[in-house]
Amino acid sequence: MGDLDIRPATAEDVPAVVAMLADDPLGARRESPDDLGPYLAAFERLTTDPNQHLVVAVRDSRVVGTLQLTIVPGLSRRGATRSIIEGVRIHGDERGSGLGTQLIEWAIDESRRQDCSLVQLTSDKTRSDAHRFYERLGFTASHTGFKLQL
């Protein structure tokens, strides 16, 4: 395998990112890779917000992984800043290669650089393999999350 580069995503990366978002049973039901319009509009919103970091992992000129890191300033925890990791996806032929670990380590390092005191993420209850992965990296399932569809 060639060298890996983790860099900010560009508009040209959006089709590859969306394809990875759709490449699992959950994503297949909620993503629409055939209509990139909403994704490109969202990408534009992300690029104008300095607290949003959408990155891609590129190997041999091919996007093989992605995640979004959001920096959240707050008042709780004595005015602590936290980060949220979202949308972690690894290309199917790269799963198990250590790429996921490299991406999460990038996010943790960037969170430290941004003076965050806490990194958090959510994972669908059905993703038991992902839960074991995050626990191996030191994350703990300390809270119960709730969502309300709008």
Side-chain angles (χ1 to χ4, degrees), residues 112-131:
R112 283 189 179 110
R113 195 181 75 69
Q114 299 269 345
D115 293 324
C116 295
S117 62
L118 176 69
V119 179
Q120 63 189 44
L121 56 83
T122 61
S123 180
D124 191 276
K125 288 183 177 187
T126 63
R127 295 185 189 273
S128 55
D129 289 344
H131 302 163

Side-chain angles (χ1 to χ4, degrees), residues 1-146:
M1 297 222 178
D3 290 336
L4 183 73
D5 182 29
I6 298 174
R7 61 162 173 78
T10 66
E12 291 76 28
D13 298 321
V14 170
V17 169
V18 173
M20 286 186 290
L21 292 171
D23 186 30
D24 69 27
L26 291 174
R29 293 193 316 254
R30 60 186 178 206
E31 306 299 345
S32 302
D34 54 328
D35 178 12
L36 294 177
Y39 300 99
L40 291 167
F43 178 79
E44 287 303 314
R45 289 192 308 274
L46 289 170
T47 60
T48 62
D49 183 340
N51 288 321
Q52 302 299 327
H53 305 275
L54 179 64
V55 298
V56 291
V58 179
R59 188 186 316 276
D60 298 326
S61 302
R62 188 171 73 112
V63 174
V64 293
T66 188
L67 68 71
Q68 179 179 337
L69 181 70
T70 299
I71 307 301
V72 183
L75 291 177
S76 66
R77 295 178 176 250
R78 301 184 56 142
T81 298
R82 69 184 66 209
S83 65
I84 302 171
I85 298 172
E86 289 282 330
V88 179
R89 295 294 189 281
I90 304 299
H91 194 279
D93 61 8
E94 289 272 344
R95 292 181 190 140
S97 70
L99 174 57
T101 298
Q102 288 178 276
L103 269 173
I104 296 298
E105 287 173 348
W106 175 90
I108 292 168
D109 290 344
E110 180 63 18
S111 297
R112 283 189 179 110
R113 195 181 75 69
Q114 299 269 345
D115 293 324
C116 295
S117 62
L118 176 69
V119 179
Q120 63 189 44
L121 56 83
T122 61
S123 180
D124 191 276
K125 288 183 177 187
T126 63
R127 295 185 189 273
S128 55
D129 289 344
H131 302 163
R132 285 189 295 277
F133 167 73
Y134 293 126
E135 287 169 351
R136 275 195 314 271
L137 293 175
F139 289 82
T140 58
S142 61
H143 289 67
T144 298
F146 297 90

